Amino acid sequence: MAGHACFATGYVLFLAAHWATAVAVGVGVMLLGAVSYTLGEILGGPITTTIAAESAPDALRGRYLSLNQLAVSAAGAVAPAVLSGLLSAGGAV
């Protein structure tokens, strides 16, 4: 739960940085968001792998872990392109 709370806080801070009136404040808020998001990854990453491993039947454990890693890798590959598209579309989107 703490990892998801850190993710949510990071997302809220990223959103709040858009409305910062001073550039320095916006950068500071973005950095705080990045720290919060990273803490969420540190807290949540090992747990999601453990859940994938423990929820699988013994014969399918490798497939479950492979699918879990595939989802993480696909998100890491697709996210930059999607976020770049959103940023180029403007803050309203």
Side-chain angles (χ1 to χ4, degrees):
M1 293 298 291
H4 291 297
C6 289
F7 281 135
T9 302
Y11 289 134
V12 169
L13 288 170
F14 292 150
L15 183 62
H18 173 70
W19 289 299
T21 55
V23 174
V25 173
V27 169
V29 172
M30 284 293 290
L31 288 174
L32 285 174
V35 168
S36 178
Y37 189 88
T38 301
L39 186 59
E41 288 181 326
I42 291 169
L43 293 173
I47 294 170
T48 58
T49 304
T50 302
I51 290 171
E54 290 182 358
S55 65
D58 289 339
L60 298 176
R61 183 166 291 140
R63 290 182 187 184
Y64 275 56
L65 290 172
S66 296
L67 184 59
N68 180 50
Q69 190 58 44
L70 177 65
V72 170
S73 298
V78 172
V82 171
L83 292 176
S84 295
L86 287 172
L87 287 172
S88 67
V93 175

